Amino acid sequence: MESAKALLVVLRKDLRVHDNVVFEQAASATGSEFNILVPLYVFSAQQMDLSGFVPGGAENPYPAPRSRVGRYPRCGRHRAEFIGSAVWDLKKSLEALESGLVIRVGIIADVVRDLAKGLEKNGHPVGAVWMTSHEGTEEKADEKAVASLCEGIGAQCKIWEDEKYFIDDRDVAGEPKDLANVFTTYRKDCEPLREKPRPVLPPPKLGSLPKFPESSVIPPQGAPFVIPETEDGLRDALVKPVASILENQPKFPEGAKSAHPFKGGETYARSRLHDLIESGKMKEYKDTRNGLTGTDFSTKLSAYLSHGCITARQIHHALLGYEDGTNEAYEKVDGYGAGENEGTKAIRFELLWRDYMRLCHQKFGDTLFKLAGFKGAGAEYSAEEKKSKWKTADEKLASEDQQPDPKRIAEIIERFNAGTTGMGLIDAAQRELLHTGYVSNRARQNVASFLAKHLEIDWRYGAEWYEYLLVDYDVSSNWANWQYVSGVGNDPRGELRIFNPVKQSFDYDKKGDYVRSWVPEVGSLTKLENVFQAWTASEEDLKTARLDDNIMVTDAIRRITFVVCSRPPQSGKRPFFRRRGGRGEAARSGASGPEGAGGNDGAADNGPDGREGEQRTGVPTSSGSSAGGEENGQSPQQPTPHGPAAGHHGGGMGGYRGGGGRGGYQGQHRGGYQGRGGGYHRGNWRGYPHGMGGGAPRGGNGFRGARYGGGGFQGQGAGRGRWDAGIRQHDG
Ligand SMILES: Cc1cc2nc3c(=O)[nH]c(=O)nc-3n(C[C@H](O)[C@H](O)[C@H](O)COP(=O)(O)OP(=O)(O)OC[C@H]3O[C@@H](n4cnc5c(N)ncnc54)[C@H](O)[C@@H]3O)c2cc1C
């Protein structure tokens, strides 16, 4: 056709040929207005350090991109490698379809402009540029820039719906502004989930795509960059500038194993999905999903989803083949043809969370990146709560009386990132992230909660560190989850949900294998409580383990006294923990109202976490926990390696709230203790509607929980000897 023109397809987070609207539509466009198809991928200078593409001697015109708050690189080596591999895999798939992929680096609109100019010069004017819409400020800006460029060159610009979500946007009722602020409400509107996803789109048939142009017609990459011609070359160019994460990069611990050894790309995504169903892992998913170690406790599909190597609805349809007994490949798998099971249902549930996080991003826009979060954007956040409680390393932003001062906060953040806080689970998770780019959902929640709620440090340092290092980084899922856990997002329990990392370790790392494998320094300690917090070990054990002068012991960032009961198990779910103190009056009457502050709302949103929690079954949360010791270790009665801390704030019972709470406890007795212990002082906790009391160590004096607790029970939970319980522990 004489007037036929080139179709330029810009691929970003849709690195696949199956279930991809642009290829499906391009295939049916053959013989019509487009005589050639130029699929294009651009490694973006806004998000990646491109200096590896610059041959020696030349200068990279784009400064290495950095995050706003922590000034971290935007994309670390694990994700760079994963994306490189996924792009290469797409190139191979397109070549197998007699097409191809042009790989470039730079700013998307600039690359499109240069390519369009060159193609026109070589006799192929660009008639249209297609791309799929993606969430994110930069992504939207790219879409706008390409649209305005198209206007300038007289080409059509088409931005297709992003179809990699579980429920298609076109099937979501209402406008983004109408989205429910609580996930459960949204979920209920969507149920039954199994009926919601649209069918998957077929991949283009061999030879069905408009011709890929001769290489001589495609203008080369602009100087000074050079695009490698092999997969290894591409990987090296991407990884070289970000190969080292820390100044003193620790070695990969001997014996530790990555939970995410997976390679990027659609081919690998499809085979991973198949393996998960064939091995029966999908059926077990609900029981295993809170694991910490190994490749199969969860799907590890997140990175494939984030980069669009697979779509959520492809996962759903593959599960249907197994559940409905229509895909013989799975006929030997337990549960074949038996319909949806607990495991497959839970996966759909998680995929819906992913949708929801993105819809929240649509609704709240750039407040995703704001310290006060989604809550700060709405009326549901009180004026007082909007005031920043957050500690920062930024001298200009810190309040004059910030304690610890910004310099110390900078040190703490550095140690938090490097995994040397002294809190085993947190350190293990941060080191696993450094070494592998992946960390389980359970560990992510603990890490986020630790930074935001125990240390009260601007949670965006953590979100940006994750953005830097996660292989599955997704702008909506990452930032909205950080907000959620930090209490400024869509968690209805907000600030009240706190993970006690010691109890979580006992619950989810029952033998300490996870912490031992990523924090080898504590590997020889035998007692679990010592593994989880090395400072609790005896002087002798510390010496034997050569830990006596280790910073994790001498200057643990946060000390949580946690009592392990030596009595034989009596009953219940958590036999080896026993609260010391806090079961007195305060515990029983600490929450007078229906909204006991610590009460976990069994009926409400349970969070994108381990939703199994005791709260829902009404079993009282046990475990003594406290946050002992000031961050800088200056507390006069700071816990010592030889014994538990003396002073902590009061502990209470994790509660169960909600109509007809089944035998649970009401309310949380939590106090900002300022008595003798000098223990954990959470002066910023405020506005708890009910049930917040102040527990006092040794005799019920010296607390000020009521000031923050608004109706909290004063003092009566104390006076039972030593208080070991402290901050409300929440086990999600
Ligand atoms: C602080 C924090 C930061 C996070 N950052 C990201 C991120 O950048 N990218 C990302 O994909 N997920 C993120 N998550 C969500 C979750 O931790 C990961 O999706 C999950 O651990 C990935 O492993 P998986 O694929 O084996 O998950 P599975 O347990 O197998 O879940 C299946 C899929 O459901 C989705 N999913 C599961 N949980 C969530 C959730 N809470 N929110 C949104 N989607 C979910 C993912 O796409 C996941 O692949 C974050 C969670 C927290 C608490």
Side-chain angles (χ1 to χ4, degrees):
M1 196 180 289
E2 214 149 277
S3 61
K5 290 189 169 175
L7 168 61
L8 201 58
V9 167
V10 183
L11 294 144
R12 294 184 294 170
K13 288 172 183 140
D14 43 358
L15 302 176
R16 61 184 186 279
V17 293
H18 291 77
D19 199 22
N20 189 337
V21 65
V22 289
F23 290 124
E24 192 240 4
Q25 290 294 316
S28 52
T30 307
S32 63
E33 73 261 49
F34 304 117
N35 61 350
I36 60 168
L37 169 73
V38 186
L40 166 71
Y41 183 84
V42 182
F43 289 101
S44 163
Q46 285 171 297
Q47 295 175 0
M48 291 179 129
D49 186 336
L50 301 179
S51 50
F53 291 89
V54 180
E59 205 182 309
N60 178 4
Y62 303 112
R66 295 267 162 179
S67 65
R68 274 185 226 161
V69 179
R71 309 297 301 155
Y72 307 132
R74 298 282 308 278
C75 176
R77 67 164 195 237
H78 304 292
R79 189 162 76 255
E81 187 169 350
F82 191 92
I83 297 174
S85 160
V87 168
W88 201 264
D89 184 65
L90 177 65
K91 179 171 147 59
K92 292 281 145 205
S93 301
L94 285 167
E95 284 169 1
L97 289 167
E98 296 175 349
S99 183
L101 180 68
V102 174
I103 300 175
R104 293 288 179 263
V105 299
I107 302 290
I108 291 181
D110 295 350
V111 173
V112 171
R113 186 197 55 223
D114 293 349
L115 207 54
K117 242 193 223 165
L119 284 168
E120 179 162 27
K121 199 166 139 215
N122 295 330
H124 292 285
V126 171
V129 180
W130 289 0
M131 57 205 296
T132 302
S133 82
H134 293 306
E135 225 51 62
T137 319
E138 286 159 7
E139 287 75 5
K140 294 284 173 226
D142 283 336
E143 287 160 27
K144 265 196 181 163
V146 169
S148 96
L149 174 86
C150 284
E151 241 180 72
I153 60 171
Q156 175 215 25
C157 177
K158 181 141 181 68
I159 311 286
W160 296 87
E161 284 286 334
D162 187 358
E163 302 201 33
K164 65 178 180 289
Y165 288 85
F166 185 70
I167 299 181
D168 194 282
D169 275 5
R170 290 158 289 193
D171 302 330
V172 174
E175 298 289 308
K177 68 175 173 41
D178 304 323
L179 180 76
N181 280 347
V182 175
F183 171 74
T184 307
T185 314
Y186 171 68
R187 173 176 55 80
K188 285 184 180 152
D189 284 348
C190 297
E191 281 171 343
L193 300 187
R194 201 169 177 268
E195 288 168 22
K196 281 292 183 316
R198 290 190 174 196
V200 296
L201 302 170
K205 290 202 181 80
L206 182 65
S208 66
L209 292 170
K211 209 161 89 31
F212 187 69
E214 295 293 323
S215 56
S216 57
V217 231
I218 304 172
Q221 165 72 49
F225 302 101
V226 174
I227 305 296
E229 282 172 11
T230 63
E231 184 178 3
D232 285 351
L234 182 64
R235 192 197 46 233
D236 290 349
L238 289 164
V239 169
K240 205 168 83 185
V242 283
S244 184
I245 298 164
L246 300 173
E247 252 174 53
N248 296 317
Q249 183 78 13
K251 273 206 224 127
F252 195 97
E254 218 173 289
K257 282 203 180 111
S258 171
H260 198 285
F262 305 106
K263 204 174 162 181
E266 179 180 23
T267 310
Y268 308 100
R270 290 169 64 79
S271 108
R272 171 74 184 156
L273 175 59
H274 172 76
D275 292 349
L276 283 164
I277 303 177
E278 198 186 35
S279 62
K281 298 291 178 213
M282 292 299 216
K283 185 163 188 275
E284 294 162 15
Y285 171 79
K286 185 155 189 266
D287 298 327
T288 60
R289 66 175 290 274
N290 278 303
L292 297 169
T293 50
T295 51
D296 291 343
F297 62 83
S298 65
T299 65
K300 312 296 182 312
L301 288 170
S302 52
Y304 295 122
L305 284 160
S306 297
H307 306 298
C309 304
I310 202 164
T311 62
R313 63 190 186 193
Q314 278 178 288
I315 300 172
H316 160 78
H317 283 284
L319 292 176
L320 284 185
Y322 152 70
E323 294 167 334
D324 295 345
T326 51
N327 185 345
E328 285 173 14
Y330 304 130
E331 69 184 349
K332 296 210 173 78
V333 184
D334 184 25
Y336 181 69
E340 190 176 52
N341 56 50
E342 288 296 310
T344 55
K345 188 175 175 186
I347 285 165
R348 292 194 173 94
F349 187 89
E350 296 307 327
L351 292 174
L352 193 74
W353 263 110
R354 176 168 173 270
D355 281 14
Y356 181 69
M357 293 308 194
R358 189 184 56 117
L359 295 171
C360 286
H361 187 179
Q362 278 181 4
K363 175 171 177 174
F364 294 105
D366 280 358
T367 49
L368 189 68
F369 312 108
K370 299 269 156 63
L371 188 56
F374 299 155
K375 283 194 177 162
E380 65 267 38
Y381 220 35
S382 73
E384 194 194 354
E385 280 170 316
K386 272 185 187 166
K387 266 194 254 153
S388 180
K389 69 170 183 185
W390 302 99
K391 291 169 188 155
T392 174
D394 188 331
E395 310 253 352
K396 286 187 230 100
L397 297 180
S399 61
E400 268 172 30
D401 58 348
Q402 177 184 292
Q403 280 306 323
D405 66 26
K407 206 160 151 253
R408 171 68 179 166
I409 291 292
E411 270 169 39
I412 291 173
I413 293 171
E414 216 171 279
R415 287 181 49 195
F416 169 77
N417 291 344
T420 60
T421 65
M423 185 60 68
L425 179 61
I426 306 305
D427 293 342
Q430 293 291 70
R431 294 190 200 190
E432 182 188 17
L433 179 68
L434 284 175
H435 288 298
T436 72
Y438 181 84
V439 64
S440 69
N441 185 59
R442 175 62 43 187
R444 292 181 204 203
Q445 289 173 308
N446 275 282
V447 165
S449 172
F450 187 72
L451 184 73
K453 292 185 171 161
H454 289 259
L455 305 182
E456 295 185 326
I457 291 176
D458 181 341
W459 55 273
R460 295 172 304 173
Y461 286 100
E464 289 184 351
W465 189 251
Y466 266 30
E467 169 171 357
Y468 170 27
L469 290 178
L470 276 177
V471 70
D472 62 19
Y473 172 71
D474 168 271
V475 61
S476 310
S477 291
N478 185 62
W479 287 81
N481 269 293
W482 267 93
Q483 286 209 5
Y484 194 101
V485 181
S486 303
V488 298
N490 282 41
D491 183 358
R493 277 182 273 164
E495 294 199 34
L496 303 178
R497 185 198 298 271
I498 299 180
F499 289 80
N500 176 341
V502 185
K503 180 178 184 297
Q504 291 269 313
S505 305
F506 275 102
D507 284 350
Y508 296 100
D509 188 21
K510 290 186 193 300
K511 294 185 184 158
D513 294 343
Y514 178 66
V515 173
R516 282 196 182 96
S517 76
W518 293 109
V519 189
E521 298 97 304
V522 301
S524 65
L525 296 174
T526 48
K527 287 189 192 144
L528 273 188
E529 60 264 39
N530 301 162
V531 172
F532 298 149
Q533 295 187 101
W535 63 267
T536 60
S538 70
E539 229 170 312
E540 201 187 332
D541 287 349
L542 287 172
K543 273 212 170 95
T544 315
R546 299 196 180 163
L547 274 168
D548 47 335
D549 60 355
N550 188 299
I551 197 168
M552 296 187 293
V553 170
T554 56
D555 184 20
I557 301 287
R558 173 66 72 211
R559 295 167 187 243
I560 294 183
T561 303
F562 193 82
V563 175
V564 180
C565 181
S566 54
R567 286 191 316 169
Q570 290 174 347
S571 65
K573 214 179 150 193
R574 304 270 185 270
F576 41 64
F577 306 118
R578 183 172 153 251
R579 175 180 305 282
R580 303 287 296 269
R583 286 198 192 243
E585 284 298 302
R588 272 182 274 119
S589 56
S592 49
E595 300 246 328
N600 290 294
D601 181 356
D605 177 37
N606 287 303
D609 53 339
R611 276 152 288 252
E612 89 288 1
E614 299 119 281
Q615 304 77 23
R616 281 198 288 170
T617 56
V619 178
T621 308
S622 71
S623 99
S625 64
S626 82
E630 292 289 340
E631 282 136 342
N632 57 13
Q634 298 302 309
S635 166
Q637 291 193 32
Q638 183 183 333
T640 69
H642 316 296
H648 303 288
H649 54 201
M653 301 309 297
Y656 184 92
R657 144 170 118 76
R662 284 173 276 153
Y665 285 77
Q666 290 190 334
Q668 179 63 41
H669 170 66
R670 173 192 186 127
Y673 157 67
Q674 63 160 56
R676 316 172 199 171
Y680 188 67
H681 163 56
R682 296 189 68 97
N684 291 317
W685 285 76
R686 56 202 162 219
Y688 295 167
H690 306 281
M692 301 304 296
R698 297 192 185 126
N701 52 4
F703 67 89
R704 64 172 189 187
R707 180 171 154 200
Y708 301 104
F713 199 87
Q714 302 196 354
Q716 294 192 31
R720 304 239 166 162
R722 198 180 75 217
W723 276 74
D724 291 311
I727 62 162
R728 179 174 79 82
Q729 84 85 33
H730 169 77
D731 163 32

